[in-house]
Amino acid sequence: MDLLVKLLLKANVAWINAHPNSPFSRLMMKQRGPRTDVARMTRVQRLASALSFLLWGGLFLGLWLLTAYLTFGLGWLSPDNLVAQVLIFGLALLAGCGILGGLYLLVRVIV
């Protein structure tokens, strides 16, 4: 099965390279979204982006702490409630991404 998938992918890439002007090839080769290459950003852009990431991370950290306090501290939500578990996990993930992304950009500003 692995060999079949690899052969189909290679055939697909070969067809895209052979027909660069077809709508499918243009769709597959198109860059999506803005460029987020940190190496090409100025120091001010990196600092602004780092502060934005840290602020969003702090907001999600605060929401995570509030949800955890309401669930485990006050007992308003049951810890076995699926909504509470998804909120706690999702907010922790968003907070971690924001804070780690902000710290990474701050290191790139300094270095």
Side-chain angles (χ1 to χ4, degrees):
M1 189 62 160
D2 186 47
L3 179 64
L4 179 66
V5 170
K6 286 182 182 179
L7 288 174
L8 286 173
L9 285 174
K10 286 182 182 182
N12 192 12
V13 170
W15 189 88
I16 288 172
N17 288 333
H19 303 91
N21 293 326
S22 72
F24 179 71
S25 296
R26 286 188 305 227
L27 174 72
M28 295 306 289
M29 300 303 276
K30 177 183 173 189
Q31 274 201 357
R32 292 167 182 84
R35 294 287 310 233
T36 56
D37 194 4
V38 176
R40 298 183 189 271
M41 294 169 71
T42 64
R43 288 175 70 93
V44 174
Q45 288 174 328
R46 280 183 273 182
L47 183 61
S49 185
L51 293 177
S52 176
F53 269 93
L54 287 173
L55 284 173
W56 279 107
L59 172 73
F60 288 122
L61 179 64
L63 290 173
W64 177 76
L65 288 171
L66 177 68
T67 305
Y69 178 68
L70 291 176
T71 302
F72 301 111
L74 296 179
W76 286 8
L77 298 170
S78 171
D80 297 331
N81 188 351
L82 183 62
V83 173
Q85 291 175 356
V86 169
L87 272 174
I88 290 172
F89 175 76
L91 290 171
L93 183 68
L94 290 171
C97 289
I99 291 170
L100 289 176
L103 291 175
Y104 166 73
L105 285 168
L106 276 179
V107 167
R108 289 298 303 260
V109 167
I110 295 169
V111 174

